[in-house]
Amino acid sequence: MRTFTLGRSQEEAISLFPDRSIREVQLGDQKICVARDGESFFAFERLCPHRLANLKEGQLNSFQEVICPLHHYRFELNSGRVASGDCRDLKVYKAELDESGLKISI
Ligand code: FES
């Protein structure tokens, strides 16, 4: 497992991710998605486990779930559990915001 830090401070990390946005980021040789909901950050695999739609085009709902843009399956961002749909769970990664930035372990 490797830990990457986005931004050089808490403020800079927050400024990289507008509230309720989903962004694709490159960490080492992997591209993943990072989403922000207020003070909460979530990191998860980029491609939907159902038919590989890019989840950066998805939407966040008010239950901290991501909704896939293709068939609208929903995944809980804390656990990755598929909340609506018929496929495996979404792979999620630890994302922690502290004074030195947003730390993501993949
Ligand atoms: S590709 Fe994501 S729900 Fe089908």
Side-chain angles (χ1 to χ4, degrees):
M1 186 183 296
R2 266 182 86 186
T3 300
F4 296 85
T5 303
L6 300 177
R8 287 166 295 183
S9 67
Q10 190 166 5
E11 295 72 28
E12 188 177 319
I14 287 172
S15 73
L16 294 172
F17 299 95
D19 196 16
R20 304 196 57 72
S21 66
I22 303 174
R23 291 272 165 89
E24 189 176 270
V25 298
Q26 178 92 37
L27 301 179
D29 58 1
Q30 271 195 68
K31 281 184 182 171
I32 67 165
C33 282
V34 175
R36 176 182 160 211
D37 180 25
E39 297 295 306
S40 301
F41 284 83
F42 304 94
F44 48 97
E45 64 183 320
R46 184 173 63 104
L47 302 178
C48 177
H50 180 226
R51 294 277 189 265
L52 305 180
N54 193 328
L55 292 172
K56 79 173 182 187
E57 309 294 339
Q59 300 214 323
L60 299 180
N61 66 15
S62 52
F63 302 103
Q64 294 190 331
E65 296 171 340
V66 60
I67 305 170
C68 179
L70 198 53
H71 307 105
H72 307 110
Y73 285 13
R74 290 183 286 115
F75 301 90
E76 293 177 2
L77 290 174
N78 277 307
S79 65
R81 192 180 77 83
V82 59
S84 164
D86 185 17
C87 65
R88 71 166 170 83
D89 292 343
L90 184 70
K91 194 173 200 176
V92 295
Y93 308 101
K94 188 172 162 194
E96 275 183 326
L97 184 66
D98 68 18
E99 317 76 50
S100 57
L102 178 63
K103 292 187 165 51
I104 298 175
S105 301
I106 61 174

